[in-house]
Amino acid sequence: MLLISCPNCGSRDETEFHYGGQAHVPYPENPNELNDREWAEFLFYRDNTKGAFAERWLHSTGCRQWFNMLRDTVTYEIQAVYPMGTARPDAAAAAPDSGTASTAPDSTTTGTTAPDISGTSTTPASTPAPEGATT
Amino acid sequence: MADLLPEHPEFLWHNPTPKKSYDAVIVGGGGHGLATAYFLAKNHGMTNIAVLEKGWLAGGNMARNTTIIRSNYLWDESAAIYEHALKLWEILPEELEYDFLFSQRGVMNLAHTLGDVRESMRRVGANKLNGVDAEWLDPQQVKELCPILNISDNIRYPVMGATYQPRAGIAKHDHVAWAFARKCDELGVDIIQNCEVTGFLKDGNRVVGVKTSQGTIHTEKVGLCAAGHSSVLAEMAGFRLPIQSHPLQALVSELHEPVHPTVVMSNHVHVYVSQAHKGELVMGAGVDSYNGYGQRGSFHVIEHQMAAAVELFPIFARAHVLRTWGGIVDTTLDASPIVGTTPVDNMFVNCGWGTGGFKGTPAAGLTFAHTIATGTPHELNRPFALERFETGALIDEHGAAAVAH
Ligand SMILES: Cc1cc2nc3c(=O)[nH]c(=O)nc-3n(C[C@H](O)[C@H](O)[C@H](O)COP(=O)(O)OP(=O)(O)OC[C@H]3O[C@@H](n4cnc5c(N)ncnc54)[C@H](O)[C@@H]3O)c2cc1C
Ligand SMILES: [Zn+2]
């Protein structure tokens, strides 16, 4: 069971949340100009990263708000929680030994530039750090 | 009494060191990789080939699944390939000279809502048109076939009937892998364990070799059979797959006297149960919602599955969970596999079997071997090409409630 730190409600059991898959997949800007290959990419292709993965979660039985999360898909460790619409914090920089993050193509920012509600599991407990854990 | 397990020889295959080059290399030593190698050797005379497995043989999903074999899928394309697989299951113990306890004890798919009932009856009709044995059972007939099932209306989702495929059943998955491995070895195939593929050698757009933890191996052709790791290998080769890898869990109870004569699946309350030859109750549920490569999932999924099992089978309330485990399943959005060519020349892919590829093992092997050997798909896997996500010719088994496992 993941323990997920909702930005609005704090730490709650995974069962209160709904998974939304890969984050940062915008609707095509000019849908009319897409060819079949590009539509296929948008509709059916998502990254399937082994390692740090930016994904969307919905706190469906709590505040009903969406947010983004950086989670290691091997260890299941939650590395950061950050608002939708903001850039992905760099997991590799924040937690160097957290697995094979090599397949994270869009990690451009560093941990220190992460939005204020993000954090890593090494952040002191007084901040709303995500307490990613499996039991 | 529980059946005795068959004896098997101590050594079923050798552990050769890899040669410098092969005519074809299969990545992944699960059921599909081994079956592919077997049919390459047997049907196409390709014996200078190797199966490369990063861990131990059948250590992936092959020996983690709940072994349900059936062919009662809705769509024509699926019925064709899964029914072909079932026909192969019926002859394979003899062909491979290995009794892996294929037991055609029937599979029941329960209906709990009016929607389920309508879908089930439609599927029975579609199955019959495709020559797949299928029947609709009313609750009383369900009870006759499986007396321990609770068919009263005192549960949240009462049993309103079931589809039944008498020729469906279960087999011993590890023995299936060993049966294929032994024949492969006899035919001259190199089975190489502890050999992880870490990259590919390409000449332009053509694959010419694989980099492995045991060195570089040159090869004319590569067939990917890596199940949950298919995306990782595709990325190494420079293309994408429409696959998401999820944890899928299962569990067994302690050994019990035979109480459960068939296989019962319920997609609505989400549990499926059979009783293994030795006597364990074998149960599985749905995938964990998140992507995961960890070979484990969350406990609440197991809790949910147990709640459903105990409602349907009240006598299970006093059984104990002995062992739980997880695999990594490669799911597609239409819940159908991908078997065919890739954007890389001479590289072929067999993946996307997701939660239900054990039953497909023989047909995956047969059709994938054909595709690798001839460079073009077999009639049975032609519709399962990667291109379908571009053309829109999906084979949407999600719409057909019998999809799981
Ligand atoms: C809990 C569970 C229950 C299931 N129940 C059923 C069921 O009842 N009925 C059914 O039909 N199906 C079921 N399935 C699905 C079925 O197990 C799979 O679809 C099927 O086993 C996949 O094919 P495989 O056997 O070749 O996969 P695997 O056994 O997973 O083989 C893939 C192999 O590739 C290897 N590999 C990966 N990366 C590399 C690399 N880089 N280099 C070398 N080797 C590599 C892996 O180590 C692995 O051994 C279930 C699966 C699970 C997890
Ligand atoms: Zn919340």
Side-chain angles (χ1 to χ4, degrees), chain B residues 27-33 52-69 73 195-198 225-230 232-233 236 248-250 272 284 325-330 350 353-361 405:
Chain B
V27 184
H32 288 211
L52 309 182
E53 166 54 49
K54 75 173 162 131
W56 65 94
L57 204 132
N61 295 337
M62 183 57 177
R64 293 167 190 263
N65 62 62
T66 47
T67 82
I68 297 172
I69 294 169
Y73 282 64
C195 184
E196 178 168 7
V197 172
T198 55
C225 289
H229 277 83
S230 297
V232 176
L233 282 151
M236 287 177 200
L248 177 64
Q249 304 179 78
Y272 43 95
W325 64 88
I328 313 168
V329 294
D330 41 338
N350 166 68
W353 291 86
T355 60
F358 174 66
K359 67 177 73 64
T361 302
H405 324 289

Short mmCIF file of all heavy atoms in Angstrom, two decimals, chain B residues 27-33 52-69 73 195-198 225-230 232-233 236 248-250 272 284 325-330 350 353-361 405, ligand 1:
data_model
loop_
_atom_site.label_atom_id
_atom_site.label_comp_id
_atom_site.label_asym_id
_atom_site.label_seq_id
_atom_site.Cartn_x
_atom_site.Cartn_y
_atom_site.Cartn_z
N VAL B 27 15.10 -12.99 -26.94
CA VAL B 27 15.35 -12.34 -25.65
C VAL B 27 14.19 -12.65 -24.71
O VAL B 27 13.05 -12.28 -24.97
CB VAL B 27 15.49 -10.81 -25.81
CG1 VAL B 27 15.84 -10.17 -24.47
CG2 VAL B 27 16.53 -10.47 -26.87
N GLY B 28 14.50 -13.36 -23.63
CA GLY B 28 13.48 -13.70 -22.65
C GLY B 28 13.24 -15.20 -22.59
O GLY B 28 12.80 -15.80 -23.58
N GLY B 29 13.56 -15.80 -21.47
CA GLY B 29 13.39 -17.24 -21.28
C GLY B 29 12.17 -17.57 -20.45
O GLY B 29 12.20 -18.40 -19.54
N GLY B 30 11.04 -16.91 -20.78
CA GLY B 30 9.75 -17.31 -20.22
C GLY B 30 9.11 -18.31 -21.16
O GLY B 30 9.76 -18.84 -22.07
N GLY B 31 7.84 -18.56 -20.96
CA GLY B 31 7.14 -19.52 -21.80
C GLY B 31 7.16 -19.14 -23.27
O GLY B 31 7.40 -19.98 -24.15
N HIS B 32 6.96 -17.85 -23.54
CA HIS B 32 6.86 -17.42 -24.94
C HIS B 32 8.20 -17.53 -25.66
O HIS B 32 8.25 -17.95 -26.82
CB HIS B 32 6.31 -16.00 -25.02
CG HIS B 32 4.85 -15.92 -24.68
ND1 HIS B 32 4.00 -15.00 -25.22
CD2 HIS B 32 4.09 -16.67 -23.84
CE1 HIS B 32 2.77 -15.18 -24.74
NE2 HIS B 32 2.81 -16.17 -23.89
N GLY B 33 9.28 -17.15 -24.97
CA GLY B 33 10.59 -17.25 -25.60
C GLY B 33 10.95 -18.70 -25.89
O GLY B 33 11.45 -19.04 -26.97
N LEU B 52 18.11 -16.01 -24.62
CA LEU B 52 18.87 -15.30 -23.58
C LEU B 52 17.93 -14.88 -22.46
O LEU B 52 16.94 -14.19 -22.70
CB LEU B 52 19.57 -14.07 -24.17
CG LEU B 52 20.41 -14.28 -25.44
CD1 LEU B 52 21.07 -12.98 -25.86
CD2 LEU B 52 21.45 -15.38 -25.22
N GLU B 53 18.24 -15.27 -21.26
CA GLU B 53 17.39 -14.97 -20.11
C GLU B 53 18.23 -14.26 -19.04
O GLU B 53 19.25 -14.78 -18.62
CB GLU B 53 16.77 -16.26 -19.57
CG GLU B 53 16.14 -16.15 -18.18
CD GLU B 53 15.10 -15.04 -18.06
OE1 GLU B 53 14.20 -14.96 -18.92
OE2 GLU B 53 15.20 -14.25 -17.11
N LYS B 54 17.74 -13.11 -18.60
CA LYS B 54 18.57 -12.34 -17.65
C LYS B 54 18.60 -12.98 -16.27
O LYS B 54 19.54 -12.81 -15.52
CB LYS B 54 18.09 -10.90 -17.56
CG LYS B 54 16.83 -10.68 -16.79
CD LYS B 54 16.55 -9.18 -16.64
CE LYS B 54 15.10 -8.97 -16.28
NZ LYS B 54 14.82 -8.11 -15.19
N GLY B 55 17.57 -13.69 -15.90
CA GLY B 55 17.55 -14.34 -14.60
C GLY B 55 17.61 -15.84 -14.77
O GLY B 55 18.49 -16.36 -15.45
N TRP B 56 16.66 -16.54 -14.17
CA TRP B 56 16.59 -17.98 -14.38
C TRP B 56 15.36 -18.28 -15.24
O TRP B 56 14.43 -17.49 -15.30
CB TRP B 56 16.56 -18.72 -13.06
CG TRP B 56 15.34 -18.48 -12.22
CD1 TRP B 56 14.21 -19.24 -12.18
CD2 TRP B 56 15.14 -17.41 -11.28
NE1 TRP B 56 13.32 -18.71 -11.29
CE2 TRP B 56 13.85 -17.58 -10.73
CE3 TRP B 56 15.91 -16.32 -10.86
CZ2 TRP B 56 13.32 -16.72 -9.76
CZ3 TRP B 56 15.37 -15.45 -9.91
CH2 TRP B 56 14.11 -15.66 -9.37
N LEU B 57 15.43 -19.43 -15.86
CA LEU B 57 14.40 -19.85 -16.79
C LEU B 57 13.01 -19.84 -16.11
O LEU B 57 12.86 -20.37 -15.01
CB LEU B 57 14.75 -21.26 -17.24
CG LEU B 57 14.20 -21.72 -18.55
CD1 LEU B 57 15.29 -22.34 -19.37
CD2 LEU B 57 13.10 -22.71 -18.27
N ALA B 58 12.07 -19.18 -16.74
CA ALA B 58 10.68 -19.09 -16.24
C ALA B 58 10.57 -18.37 -14.90
O ALA B 58 9.59 -18.52 -14.19
CB ALA B 58 10.03 -20.47 -16.15
N GLY B 59 11.57 -17.55 -14.57
CA GLY B 59 11.50 -16.79 -13.32
C GLY B 59 10.64 -15.54 -13.41
O GLY B 59 10.43 -14.86 -12.42
N GLY B 60 10.15 -15.22 -14.61
CA GLY B 60 9.27 -14.06 -14.78
C GLY B 60 7.82 -14.45 -14.56
O GLY B 60 7.50 -15.17 -13.60
N ASN B 61 6.96 -14.00 -15.45
CA ASN B 61 5.53 -14.29 -15.29
C ASN B 61 5.21 -15.76 -15.50
O ASN B 61 4.18 -16.25 -15.03
CB ASN B 61 4.71 -13.46 -16.28
CG ASN B 61 4.81 -11.98 -16.01
OD1 ASN B 61 5.12 -11.57 -14.89
ND2 ASN B 61 4.55 -11.17 -17.01
N MET B 62 6.09 -16.46 -16.23
CA MET B 62 5.77 -17.83 -16.61
C MET B 62 5.46 -18.70 -15.39
O MET B 62 4.52 -19.48 -15.42
CB MET B 62 6.94 -18.43 -17.41
CG MET B 62 6.67 -19.83 -17.90
SD MET B 62 5.17 -19.92 -18.92
CE MET B 62 5.22 -21.65 -19.39
N ALA B 63 6.26 -18.59 -14.33
CA ALA B 63 5.99 -19.43 -13.17
C ALA B 63 5.33 -18.62 -12.05
O ALA B 63 5.40 -18.99 -10.87
CB ALA B 63 7.26 -20.12 -12.69
N ARG B 64 4.70 -17.51 -12.42
CA ARG B 64 3.98 -16.70 -11.42
C ARG B 64 2.50 -16.62 -11.72
O ARG B 64 1.73 -16.05 -10.95
CB ARG B 64 4.54 -15.27 -11.40
CG ARG B 64 5.96 -15.19 -10.88
CD ARG B 64 6.58 -13.82 -11.18
NE ARG B 64 8.00 -13.86 -10.88
CZ ARG B 64 8.54 -13.42 -9.73
NH1 ARG B 64 7.79 -12.89 -8.80
NH2 ARG B 64 9.83 -13.52 -9.53
N ASN B 65 2.08 -17.16 -12.87
CA ASN B 65 0.68 -16.97 -13.25
C ASN B 65 -0.22 -18.01 -12.62
O ASN B 65 0.24 -18.98 -12.01
CB ASN B 65 0.54 -16.95 -14.78
CG ASN B 65 0.97 -18.27 -15.40
OD1 ASN B 65 0.39 -19.29 -15.12
ND2 ASN B 65 2.02 -18.21 -16.21
N THR B 66 -1.52 -17.81 -12.78
CA THR B 66 -2.51 -18.70 -12.17
C THR B 66 -2.96 -19.78 -13.15
O THR B 66 -3.96 -20.46 -12.91
CB THR B 66 -3.72 -17.91 -11.64
OG1 THR B 66 -4.14 -16.99 -12.64
CG2 THR B 66 -3.33 -17.14 -10.40
N THR B 67 -2.27 -19.90 -14.25
CA THR B 67 -2.31 -21.03 -15.21
C THR B 67 -3.66 -21.28 -15.90
O THR B 67 -3.91 -22.38 -16.38
CB THR B 67 -1.84 -22.37 -14.57
OG1 THR B 67 -2.89 -22.98 -13.83
CG2 THR B 67 -0.62 -22.18 -13.67
N ILE B 68 -4.51 -20.29 -15.93
CA ILE B 68 -5.81 -20.52 -16.58
C ILE B 68 -5.65 -20.53 -18.10
O ILE B 68 -5.02 -19.64 -18.68
CB ILE B 68 -6.84 -19.46 -16.15
CG1 ILE B 68 -7.09 -19.56 -14.64
CG2 ILE B 68 -8.14 -19.62 -16.93
CD1 ILE B 68 -7.94 -18.44 -14.08
N ILE B 69 -6.20 -21.56 -18.70
CA ILE B 69 -6.15 -21.74 -20.15
C ILE B 69 -7.58 -21.81 -20.66
O ILE B 69 -8.38 -22.62 -20.19
CB ILE B 69 -5.40 -23.05 -20.51
CG1 ILE B 69 -3.93 -22.94 -20.09
CG2 ILE B 69 -5.53 -23.36 -22.00
CD1 ILE B 69 -3.16 -24.25 -20.15
N TYR B 73 -12.80 -16.04 -26.11
CA TYR B 73 -12.70 -14.60 -26.33
C TYR B 73 -13.78 -14.15 -27.32
O TYR B 73 -14.27 -14.94 -28.13
CB TYR B 73 -11.31 -14.23 -26.84
CG TYR B 73 -10.26 -14.20 -25.73
CD1 TYR B 73 -9.92 -15.36 -25.05
CD2 TYR B 73 -9.63 -13.01 -25.35
CE1 TYR B 73 -8.97 -15.35 -24.03
CE2 TYR B 73 -8.68 -12.98 -24.34
CZ TYR B 73 -8.36 -14.15 -23.68
OH TYR B 73 -7.42 -14.13 -22.67
N CYS B 195 21.92 -14.06 -18.44
CA CYS B 195 22.46 -13.33 -19.59
C CYS B 195 21.50 -12.20 -19.93
O CYS B 195 20.51 -12.41 -20.63
CB CYS B 195 22.65 -14.29 -20.76
SG CYS B 195 23.42 -13.51 -22.19
N GLU B 196 21.78 -11.03 -19.42
CA GLU B 196 20.89 -9.89 -19.62
C GLU B 196 21.26 -9.13 -20.88
O GLU B 196 22.43 -8.80 -21.09
CB GLU B 196 20.97 -8.95 -18.41
CG GLU B 196 20.09 -7.72 -18.58
CD GLU B 196 19.92 -6.92 -17.31
OE1 GLU B 196 20.59 -7.24 -16.31
OE2 GLU B 196 19.12 -5.96 -17.33
N VAL B 197 20.29 -8.86 -21.70
CA VAL B 197 20.52 -8.04 -22.88
C VAL B 197 20.53 -6.58 -22.45
O VAL B 197 19.58 -6.10 -21.81
CB VAL B 197 19.44 -8.29 -23.96
CG1 VAL B 197 19.57 -7.29 -25.09
CG2 VAL B 197 19.57 -9.72 -24.47
N THR B 198 21.62 -5.88 -22.79
CA THR B 198 21.78 -4.50 -22.32
C THR B 198 21.79 -3.50 -23.46
O THR B 198 21.81 -2.29 -23.24
CB THR B 198 23.09 -4.35 -21.53
OG1 THR B 198 24.17 -4.82 -22.36
CG2 THR B 198 23.06 -5.17 -20.25
N CYS B 225 10.85 -11.36 -26.45
CA CYS B 225 9.79 -12.05 -25.68
C CYS B 225 9.97 -11.68 -24.22
O CYS B 225 10.11 -12.55 -23.36
CB CYS B 225 9.89 -13.56 -25.83
SG CYS B 225 9.42 -14.18 -27.43
N ALA B 226 10.00 -10.39 -23.91
CA ALA B 226 10.41 -9.95 -22.58
C ALA B 226 9.25 -9.54 -21.69
O ALA B 226 9.47 -8.99 -20.61
CB ALA B 226 11.42 -8.82 -22.69
N ALA B 227 8.00 -9.80 -22.12
CA ALA B 227 6.81 -9.52 -21.31
C ALA B 227 6.89 -8.13 -20.65
O ALA B 227 6.97 -7.11 -21.33
CB ALA B 227 6.57 -10.63 -20.31
N GLY B 228 6.96 -8.08 -19.30
CA GLY B 228 6.92 -6.81 -18.58
C GLY B 228 8.05 -5.85 -18.90
O GLY B 228 7.95 -4.65 -18.66
N HIS B 229 9.15 -6.37 -19.46
CA HIS B 229 10.28 -5.51 -19.80
C HIS B 229 10.35 -5.16 -21.29
O HIS B 229 11.37 -4.64 -21.76
CB HIS B 229 11.61 -6.16 -19.37
CG HIS B 229 11.92 -5.92 -17.92
ND1 HIS B 229 11.39 -6.69 -16.92
CD2 HIS B 229 12.69 -4.98 -17.31
CE1 HIS B 229 11.83 -6.24 -15.75
NE2 HIS B 229 12.60 -5.20 -15.95
N SER B 230 9.30 -5.41 -22.01
CA SER B 230 9.32 -5.16 -23.46
C SER B 230 9.63 -3.71 -23.79
O SER B 230 10.40 -3.42 -24.71
CB SER B 230 7.97 -5.56 -24.08
OG SER B 230 7.77 -6.94 -23.90
N VAL B 232 11.35 -1.57 -22.11
CA VAL B 232 12.75 -1.26 -21.81
C VAL B 232 13.64 -1.71 -22.98
O VAL B 232 14.54 -0.99 -23.41
CB VAL B 232 13.17 -1.95 -20.49
CG1 VAL B 232 14.64 -1.71 -20.20
CG2 VAL B 232 12.31 -1.46 -19.33
N LEU B 233 13.36 -2.91 -23.51
CA LEU B 233 14.16 -3.42 -24.62
C LEU B 233 13.89 -2.63 -25.89
O LEU B 233 14.82 -2.33 -26.64
CB LEU B 233 13.88 -4.92 -24.82
CG LEU B 233 14.63 -5.74 -23.77
CD1 LEU B 233 13.91 -7.02 -23.46
CD2 LEU B 233 16.07 -6.01 -24.21
N MET B 236 15.86 0.45 -25.86
CA MET B 236 17.27 0.20 -26.20
C MET B 236 17.43 0.10 -27.72
O MET B 236 18.46 0.49 -28.27
CB MET B 236 17.73 -1.14 -25.62
CG MET B 236 17.95 -1.17 -24.14
SD MET B 236 18.39 -2.90 -23.71
CE MET B 236 18.03 -2.91 -21.96
N LEU B 248 0.97 -7.50 -11.15
CA LEU B 248 -0.22 -8.35 -11.05
C LEU B 248 0.09 -9.42 -10.00
O LEU B 248 1.13 -10.08 -10.08
CB LEU B 248 -0.56 -9.00 -12.39
CG LEU B 248 -1.75 -9.98 -12.36
CD1 LEU B 248 -3.05 -9.28 -12.00
CD2 LEU B 248 -1.91 -10.68 -13.71
N GLN B 249 -0.79 -9.54 -9.02
CA GLN B 249 -0.53 -10.43 -7.89
C GLN B 249 -1.39 -11.68 -7.91
O GLN B 249 -2.46 -11.70 -8.51
CB GLN B 249 -0.80 -9.67 -6.58
CG GLN B 249 -0.01 -8.39 -6.43
CD GLN B 249 -0.33 -7.69 -5.14
OE1 GLN B 249 0.15 -8.09 -4.09
NE2 GLN B 249 -1.15 -6.66 -5.19
N ALA B 250 -0.93 -12.68 -7.23
CA ALA B 250 -1.70 -13.91 -7.03
C ALA B 250 -1.30 -14.48 -5.67
O ALA B 250 -0.36 -14.00 -5.03
CB ALA B 250 -1.42 -14.91 -8.13
N TYR B 272 -10.48 -14.86 -9.25
CA TYR B 272 -10.59 -16.11 -9.98
C TYR B 272 -9.87 -17.18 -9.18
O TYR B 272 -8.85 -16.92 -8.56
CB TYR B 272 -10.05 -15.99 -11.41
CG TYR B 272 -8.77 -15.23 -11.55
CD1 TYR B 272 -7.56 -15.91 -11.58
CD2 TYR B 272 -8.76 -13.85 -11.62
CE1 TYR B 272 -6.36 -15.22 -11.69
CE2 TYR B 272 -7.58 -13.15 -11.72
CZ TYR B 272 -6.39 -13.84 -11.76
OH TYR B 272 -5.22 -13.16 -11.84
N GLY B 284 -6.26 -15.22 -7.98
CA GLY B 284 -5.68 -14.01 -8.52
C GLY B 284 -6.72 -12.92 -8.58
O GLY B 284 -7.91 -13.17 -8.40
N TRP B 325 2.49 -13.30 -4.26
CA TRP B 325 3.62 -12.84 -5.09
C TRP B 325 3.07 -11.98 -6.20
O TRP B 325 1.85 -11.85 -6.37
CB TRP B 325 4.38 -14.04 -5.66
CG TRP B 325 3.55 -14.86 -6.60
CD1 TRP B 325 3.41 -14.67 -7.95
CD2 TRP B 325 2.69 -15.96 -6.26
NE1 TRP B 325 2.53 -15.60 -8.47
CE2 TRP B 325 2.08 -16.40 -7.45
CE3 TRP B 325 2.38 -16.62 -5.07
CZ2 TRP B 325 1.17 -17.46 -7.49
CZ3 TRP B 325 1.48 -17.67 -5.11
CH2 TRP B 325 0.90 -18.09 -6.31
N GLY B 326 3.97 -11.38 -6.96
CA GLY B 326 3.53 -10.56 -8.08
C GLY B 326 4.42 -10.76 -9.28
O GLY B 326 5.58 -11.18 -9.17
N GLY B 327 3.89 -10.46 -10.44
CA GLY B 327 4.66 -10.44 -11.68
C GLY B 327 4.53 -9.05 -12.29
O GLY B 327 3.90 -8.16 -11.71
N ILE B 328 5.17 -8.86 -13.43
CA ILE B 328 5.09 -7.59 -14.14
C ILE B 328 4.39 -7.85 -15.47
O ILE B 328 4.96 -8.50 -16.35
CB ILE B 328 6.48 -7.00 -14.43
CG1 ILE B 328 7.36 -7.05 -13.19
CG2 ILE B 328 6.37 -5.58 -14.96
CD1 ILE B 328 8.84 -6.76 -13.49
N VAL B 329 3.17 -7.36 -15.61
CA VAL B 329 2.45 -7.66 -16.84
C VAL B 329 2.43 -6.46 -17.79
O VAL B 329 2.32 -5.32 -17.39
CB VAL B 329 1.01 -8.16 -16.57
CG1 VAL B 329 1.05 -9.51 -15.87
CG2 VAL B 329 0.18 -7.16 -15.79
N ASP B 330 2.55 -6.79 -19.08
CA ASP B 330 2.68 -5.82 -20.15
C ASP B 330 1.32 -5.59 -20.79
O ASP B 330 0.90 -6.34 -21.65
CB ASP B 330 3.69 -6.34 -21.19
CG ASP B 330 3.54 -7.84 -21.48
OD1 ASP B 330 2.98 -8.58 -20.65
OD2 ASP B 330 3.95 -8.28 -22.58
N ASN B 350 7.10 -9.83 -29.61
CA ASN B 350 5.96 -10.57 -29.09
C ASN B 350 5.75 -10.07 -27.67
O ASN B 350 6.57 -10.32 -26.79
CB ASN B 350 6.26 -12.07 -29.10
CG ASN B 350 5.26 -12.86 -28.27
OD1 ASN B 350 4.10 -12.97 -28.62
ND2 ASN B 350 5.71 -13.41 -27.15
N TRP B 353 0.77 -9.40 -23.97
CA TRP B 353 -0.16 -10.46 -23.57
C TRP B 353 -0.72 -10.17 -22.18
O TRP B 353 -1.69 -10.79 -21.76
CB TRP B 353 0.53 -11.83 -23.60
CG TRP B 353 0.86 -12.29 -24.98
CD1 TRP B 353 1.98 -12.01 -25.71
CD2 TRP B 353 0.04 -13.12 -25.84
NE1 TRP B 353 1.92 -12.62 -26.95
CE2 TRP B 353 0.75 -13.31 -27.05
CE3 TRP B 353 -1.21 -13.74 -25.69
CZ2 TRP B 353 0.24 -14.07 -28.12
CZ3 TRP B 353 -1.71 -14.49 -26.74
CH2 TRP B 353 -0.99 -14.65 -27.94
N GLY B 354 -0.09 -9.27 -21.49
CA GLY B 354 -0.65 -8.71 -20.26
C GLY B 354 -0.98 -9.74 -19.21
O GLY B 354 -0.15 -10.56 -18.82
N THR B 355 -2.23 -9.71 -18.76
CA THR B 355 -2.66 -10.56 -17.67
C THR B 355 -3.04 -11.96 -18.14
O THR B 355 -3.40 -12.81 -17.32
CB THR B 355 -3.87 -9.95 -16.96
OG1 THR B 355 -4.93 -9.82 -17.92
CG2 THR B 355 -3.55 -8.57 -16.41
N GLY B 356 -2.99 -12.22 -19.45
CA GLY B 356 -3.55 -13.48 -19.92
C GLY B 356 -2.76 -14.24 -20.96
O GLY B 356 -3.32 -14.91 -21.81
N GLY B 357 -1.43 -14.16 -20.90
CA GLY B 357 -0.64 -14.76 -21.97
C GLY B 357 -0.17 -16.18 -21.74
O GLY B 357 0.42 -16.78 -22.64
N PHE B 358 -0.40 -16.74 -20.55
CA PHE B 358 0.02 -18.13 -20.35
C PHE B 358 -0.73 -19.04 -21.32
O PHE B 358 -0.13 -19.85 -22.02
CB PHE B 358 -0.22 -18.57 -18.91
CG PHE B 358 0.07 -20.02 -18.67
CD1 PHE B 358 1.36 -20.52 -18.77
CD2 PHE B 358 -0.96 -20.92 -18.36
CE1 PHE B 358 1.63 -21.87 -18.58
CE2 PHE B 358 -0.70 -22.27 -18.17
CZ PHE B 358 0.60 -22.75 -18.28
N LYS B 359 -2.04 -18.84 -21.39
CA LYS B 359 -2.87 -19.67 -22.26
C LYS B 359 -2.44 -19.56 -23.72
O LYS B 359 -2.63 -20.48 -24.50
CB LYS B 359 -4.33 -19.26 -22.15
CG LYS B 359 -4.61 -17.86 -22.71
CD LYS B 359 -6.07 -17.49 -22.66
CE LYS B 359 -6.56 -17.19 -21.28
NZ LYS B 359 -5.90 -16.01 -20.66
N GLY B 360 -1.85 -18.41 -24.07
CA GLY B 360 -1.47 -18.18 -25.46
C GLY B 360 -0.10 -18.73 -25.81
O GLY B 360 0.29 -18.69 -26.99
N THR B 361 0.63 -19.23 -24.81
CA THR B 361 2.03 -19.63 -25.02
C THR B 361 2.29 -20.42 -26.31
O THR B 361 3.13 -20.03 -27.12
CB THR B 361 2.56 -20.41 -23.79
OG1 THR B 361 2.42 -19.57 -22.63
CG2 THR B 361 4.02 -20.79 -23.95
N HIS B 405 -7.05 -12.62 -17.71
CA HIS B 405 -6.38 -13.91 -17.50
C HIS B 405 -6.90 -15.03 -18.37
O HIS B 405 -7.36 -16.04 -17.95
CB HIS B 405 -6.43 -14.30 -16.02
CG HIS B 405 -6.30 -13.09 -15.17
ND1 HIS B 405 -5.11 -12.42 -15.07
CD2 HIS B 405 -7.20 -12.40 -14.47
CE1 HIS B 405 -5.29 -11.36 -14.30
NE2 HIS B 405 -6.53 -11.31 -13.93
C1 LIG C 1 0.00 -13.14 -11.09
C2 LIG C 1 -0.20 -13.46 -12.55
C3 LIG C 1 -1.28 -14.27 -12.91
C4 LIG C 1 -1.49 -14.60 -14.25
N1 LIG C 1 -2.49 -15.46 -14.55
C5 LIG C 1 -2.65 -15.90 -15.83
C6 LIG C 1 -3.62 -16.89 -16.13
O1 LIG C 1 -4.32 -17.42 -15.26
N2 LIG C 1 -3.76 -17.28 -17.44
C7 LIG C 1 -3.01 -16.74 -18.43
O2 LIG C 1 -3.20 -17.10 -19.58
N3 LIG C 1 -2.04 -15.80 -18.16
C8 LIG C 1 -1.84 -15.37 -16.89
N4 LIG C 1 -0.88 -14.43 -16.60
C9 LIG C 1 -0.10 -13.83 -17.70
C10 LIG C 1 1.05 -14.69 -18.18
O3 LIG C 1 1.82 -15.14 -17.09
C11 LIG C 1 1.96 -13.88 -19.13
O4 LIG C 1 1.17 -13.26 -20.14
C12 LIG C 1 3.00 -14.74 -19.81
O5 LIG C 1 3.69 -15.54 -18.89
C13 LIG C 1 4.01 -13.84 -20.57
O6 LIG C 1 4.91 -14.57 -21.37
P1 LIG C 1 6.27 -15.20 -20.81
O7 LIG C 1 5.95 -16.46 -20.12
O8 LIG C 1 7.21 -15.33 -21.93
O9 LIG C 1 6.74 -14.06 -19.78
P2 LIG C 1 7.91 -14.08 -18.70
O10 LIG C 1 7.97 -15.40 -18.01
O11 LIG C 1 7.76 -12.88 -17.87
O12 LIG C 1 9.20 -13.99 -19.63
C14 LIG C 1 9.88 -12.80 -19.96
C15 LIG C 1 11.33 -13.02 -19.61
O13 LIG C 1 12.14 -12.00 -20.17
C16 LIG C 1 13.23 -11.83 -19.32
N5 LIG C 1 13.89 -10.56 -19.61
C17 LIG C 1 13.41 -9.30 -19.40
N6 LIG C 1 14.33 -8.38 -19.77
C18 LIG C 1 15.41 -9.07 -20.23
C19 LIG C 1 16.68 -8.67 -20.74
N7 LIG C 1 17.02 -7.39 -20.86
N8 LIG C 1 17.56 -9.64 -21.13
C20 LIG C 1 17.22 -10.96 -21.00
N9 LIG C 1 16.05 -11.38 -20.52
C21 LIG C 1 15.14 -10.45 -20.13
C22 LIG C 1 12.60 -11.88 -17.94
O14 LIG C 1 13.55 -12.15 -16.93
C23 LIG C 1 11.59 -13.00 -18.11
O15 LIG C 1 12.07 -14.25 -17.68
C24 LIG C 1 -0.64 -14.08 -15.26
C25 LIG C 1 0.44 -13.26 -14.90
C26 LIG C 1 0.67 -12.97 -13.54
C27 LIG C 1 1.84 -12.11 -13.18
#
